[in-house]
């Protein structure tokens, strides 16, 4: 899988997106972050209060498109009971 999603309790509600440098140039890393933020807004319009989510993007996902990221995140959210 290309993505790893972890959810925990926290004092604030936040979504952290981690993309390593090995993913590619800064333009590609920023594009991946923007895509994931857009997908999160679509699937989680009202995130749970007091939850902290970490989404780690794997290096091998650099070649995948928006639809593949959306599908993978959708499955992850469903497995975690967030959707």
């Amino acid at each position: 899988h290309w993505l790893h999603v972890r959810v925990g309790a926290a004092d604030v509600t936040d979504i952290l997106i981690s993309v390593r440098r090995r993913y590619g140039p800064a333009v590609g890393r920023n594009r991946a972050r923007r895509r994931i933020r857009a997908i999160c807004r679509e699937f989680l319009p009202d995130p749970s209060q007091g939850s902290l989510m970490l989404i780690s993007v794997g290096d091998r996902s650099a070649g995948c498109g928006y639809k593949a990221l959306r599908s993978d995140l959708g499955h992850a959210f469903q497995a975690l009971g967030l959707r």
Side-chain angles (χ1 to χ4, degrees):
H1 288 88
W2 303 323
L3 303 167
H4 299 281
V5 180
R6 303 278 187 257
V7 179
D11 293 334
V12 294
T13 301
D14 205 359
I15 297 175
L16 308 172
I17 303 169
S18 169
V19 184
R20 293 171 34 160
R21 282 191 175 172
R22 287 185 8 189
Y23 181 89
V27 171
R29 294 192 308 268
N30 291 335
R31 181 180 300 126
R33 284 187 198 99
R34 284 193 306 271
R35 286 178 174 175
I36 291 171
R37 264 190 238 111
I39 294 166
C40 287
R41 279 192 298 270
E42 179 182 343
F43 285 138
L44 309 169
D46 186 26
S48 303
Q49 288 294 337
S51 66
L52 181 65
M53 181 181 304
L54 171 63
I55 301 173
S56 299
V57 182
D59 302 338
R60 292 181 289 170
S61 65
C64 73
Y66 180 83
K67 287 183 181 181
L69 281 174
R70 186 181 182 280
S71 173
D72 223 21
L73 265 177
H75 290 302
F77 292 156
Q78 193 169 14
L80 292 168
L82 299 174
R83 206 180 115 172

